[in-house]
C-alpha cells in the first residue's frame, strides 16, 4: 500500500469545484480545503508505487482547475488513531 499527501493549488475561484472533482478520482480517499499556502490537501491511497505515479502524473493532470501540486510520499505511518481503532470496544 502506498499513501501520499498531495498539496494542491487551484485556479482562482476553483477550490470547491476542484475538490469535488478530486473526490471522484480513483485513488483519492479524502480531500480537505485548507487555509494557508495550499488550497487543498488530498490523501492518496494506492496499491503500489506505479499506481500512485499514474494517479499523480496522469489522473490529476486531467482534473481541470489545478494550477500546481506537491506530492509527499509517505514512508512510514505513525498513528495512534489506527491503533485505537483496531482495539476499540466501540464505545
Amino acid at each position: 500500500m502506498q499513501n501520499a499527501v498531495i498539496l494542491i493549488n487551484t485556479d482562482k475561484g476553483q477550490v470547491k469545484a476542484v475538490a469535488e472533482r478530486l473526490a471522484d478520482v480513483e485513488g483519492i480517499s479524502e480531500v480537505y480545503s485548507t487555509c494557508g499556502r495550499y488550497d487543498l490537501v488530498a490523501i492518496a491511497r494506492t496499491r503500489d508505487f506505479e499506481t500512485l505515479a499514474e494517479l499523480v502524473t496522469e489522473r490529476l493532470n486531467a482534473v481541470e482547475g489545478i494550477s500546481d501540486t506537491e506530492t509527499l510520499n509517505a514512508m512510514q505511518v505513525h498513528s495512534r488513531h489506527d491503533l485505537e481503532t483496531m482495539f476499540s470496544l466501540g464505545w
Side-chain angles (χ1 to χ4, degrees):
M1 174 70 79
Q2 288 289 310
N3 298 314
V5 175
I6 305 170
L7 308 172
I8 300 163
N9 281 319
T10 67
D11 295 334
K12 187 174 181 175
Q14 293 294 306
V15 173
K16 184 176 180 186
V18 171
E20 290 171 354
R21 289 182 201 118
L22 285 171
D24 291 333
V25 173
E26 183 180 345
I28 300 294
S29 62
E30 297 129 69
V31 180
Y32 301 95
S33 56
T34 61
C35 309
R37 186 173 166 190
Y38 296 96
D39 298 318
L40 299 169
V41 173
I43 307 300
R45 301 180 197 283
T46 62
R47 69 178 172 273
D48 53 37
F49 183 77
E50 289 75 23
T51 307
L52 177 62
E54 190 265 333
L55 168 66
V56 172
T57 62
E58 294 179 29
R59 283 185 257 161
L60 289 189
N61 279 338
V63 176
E64 187 177 333
I66 293 178
S67 62
D68 189 46
T69 65
E70 183 174 344
T71 302
L72 307 173
N73 193 16
M75 306 272 291
Q76 291 182 315
V77 178
H78 306 274
S79 171
R80 180 166 305 284
H81 172 75
D82 291 340
L83 292 173
E84 289 173 355
T85 301
M86 280 192 304
F87 297 106
S88 172
L89 298 176
W91 305 349

